[in-house]
């Protein structure tokens, strides 16, 4: 969920946040630098959802999409987490589409509007 929300921020704000907080290592797959994170951010903005592949906990995959408020800012995110062995290949794509749909429906219900991606740097 964190990367889904970070992806809604301007690039400069992401860089400032990372300068302040660094990149704590949770697993060997944790993101370890700004360049790697920004590569993922670009991908998140393109596909509309974030993926955590064992970055926070071994064996766990998480898919998340932002929910937008009326002012165009992300107010929260919806996510699904599952064991990697259960959330593989085609199932990941199916669940990701459902997560994005759920986030879009909630955005609509609260009168939100999706900001345009990519955001200015």
């Amino acid at each position: 969920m964190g990367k889904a929300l970070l992806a809604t921020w301007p690039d400069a704000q992401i860089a400032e946040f990372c300068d302040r907080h660094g990149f704590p290592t949770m697993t060997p797959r944790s993101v370890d630098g700004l360049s790697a994170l920004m590569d993922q951010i670009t991908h998140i903005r393109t596909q509309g959802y974030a993926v955590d592949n064992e970055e926070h906990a071994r064996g766990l995959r998480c898919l998340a999409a932002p929910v937008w408020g009326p002012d165009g800012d992300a107010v929260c995110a919806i996510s699904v987490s599952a064991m990697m062995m259960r959330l593989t290949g085609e199932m990941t794509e199916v669940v990701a589409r459902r997560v994005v749909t759920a986030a879009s429906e909630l955005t609509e219900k609260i009168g939100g509007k999706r900001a345009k991606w990519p955001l200015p740097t």
Side-chain angles (χ1 to χ4, degrees), residues 16-92:
E16 289 172 18
F17 178 84
C18 293
D19 283 344
R20 281 194 314 267
H21 299 282
F23 294 89
T25 301
M26 307 297 282
T27 74
R29 298 192 67 162
S30 295
V31 176
D32 62 359
L34 185 59
S35 178
L37 176 62
M38 294 312 295
D39 287 345
Q40 289 189 26
I41 294 294
T42 298
H43 194 65
I44 293 163
R45 289 173 178 164
T46 300
Q47 68 186 8
Y49 65 92
V51 179
D52 173 337
N53 284 317
E54 297 185 296
E55 295 165 32
H56 184 73
R58 286 185 179 193
L60 191 65
R61 175 172 284 149
C62 178
L63 309 171
V67 174
W68 303 90
D71 60 0
D73 289 333
V75 294
C76 62
I78 292 179
S79 72
V80 170
S81 297
M83 299 303 295
M84 295 275 295
M85 64 186 186
R86 295 193 184 271
L87 195 54
T88 61
E90 186 178 315
M91 182 57 72
T92 297

Side-chain angles (χ1 to χ4, degrees), residues 12 15 52 75 77 86 93-94 109 113:
D52 173 337
V75 294
R86 295 193 184 271
E93 294 175 25
V94 169
K109 286 184 190 288
K113 59 181 178 184

